[in-house]
Structures are given as structure tokens and as C-alpha cells.
Amino acid sequence: QVQLVESGGGLVQAGGSLRLSCAASGVTISSYAMGWFRQAPGKEREFVAAITWSGSRTYYADSVKGRFTISRDNAKNTVYLQMNSLKPEDTAVYSCAAKRTTQPILVTPSVGFYSWGQGTQVTVSM
């Protein structure tokens, strides 16, 4: 079992930036694809970004493309989400997730994640 703990959330003004971190324990994440999801109150959880086990390929939701960057440091067992040009509609609880992979690409980048962190709150004010 992989345990994931997010950090780095907070309150920022629109246009500001935050960097979220997801620290994994229990296993090394080298063989896992990692993802970020978010959920606002009253809304379904939505896919934000994903990254392959090697970090060579990334995937983004259209709503965050060009503003968010997912990265990973397998040596530190950590995944990051750099969020720039934040908008009020980015306000949500952000969770990281993991899924085991056997290929260097993700055929279905947004589905199949089965290990989840508890999430960290991101609030973007006007």
C-alpha cells in the first residue's frame, strides 16, 4: 500500500502561484504513474494532471494547460504540481493519486488511479 500526503495548499490572490507537493511512503513511486485531481464543494472530482513513472510524459486537463506543471522526483519519492496564474475557479481540494504502470505512456491518463491522498485545500480569492 502506498500512502500519499499532500502539502502546499493555501490562500492566494488571483494571478498568484502555489506549488503543491505529494510525498509518498510505504513504497517508492518509481513504477507508478502519478496524478493530481481536484474537487470543489458540490462538484465531482476532476482530473488535473498526470505524469508517467519516468516523468517523460505529462498530461493536463484543458482547463489548466499552460498554467499548471506536474513534475516528479523519484529519488525524493515526491510529486509536485506547480500552479501559476491561478483563478478563483481553481479553488478546490487537490489530491494526488497513484497507479501502477507497465508502460512509459498513459493510454488513459485520467482514470485507473487507486491510491489517494487526503488532499490539500487551495483557495484563490479575487
Side-chain angles (χ1 to χ4, degrees):
Q1 182 181 348
V2 56
Q3 291 81 46
L4 305 173
V5 180
E6 302 92 341
S7 62
L11 173 65
V12 297
Q13 296 277 353
S17 298
L18 283 174
R19 189 179 76 155
L20 306 183
S21 298
C22 174
S25 62
V27 299
T28 59
I29 63 171
S30 298
S31 61
Y32 290 83
M34 304 296 296
W36 285 96
F37 295 76
R38 66 187 183 185
Q39 186 169 26
K43 299 183 65 177
E44 286 191 26
R45 184 171 57 202
E46 64 176 338
F47 169 77
V48 175
I51 188 168
T52 57
W53 67 268
S54 67
S56 62
R57 186 74 167 87
T58 57
Y59 309 83
Y60 298 94
D62 288 341
S63 59
V64 306
K65 195 172 299 181
R67 299 188 298 120
F68 291 10
T69 302
I70 187 172
S71 62
R72 66 191 298 161
D73 187 338
N74 287 347
K76 295 182 178 179
N77 231 29
T78 302
V79 180
Y80 306 95
L81 184 68
Q82 178 67 46
M83 305 184 295
N84 298 326
S85 301
L86 283 163
K87 305 174 181 179
E89 50 263 46
D90 294 319
T91 295
V93 174
Y94 284 71
S95 301
C96 65
K99 62 178 178 180
R100 197 95 177 189
T101 62
T102 58
Q103 299 184 55
I105 63 171
L106 301 181
V107 178
T108 55
S110 63
V111 300
F113 292 91
Y114 54 85
S115 296
W116 298 87
Q118 290 295 110
T120 184
Q121 177 70 47
V122 172
T123 302
V124 184
S125 64
M126 298 296 294

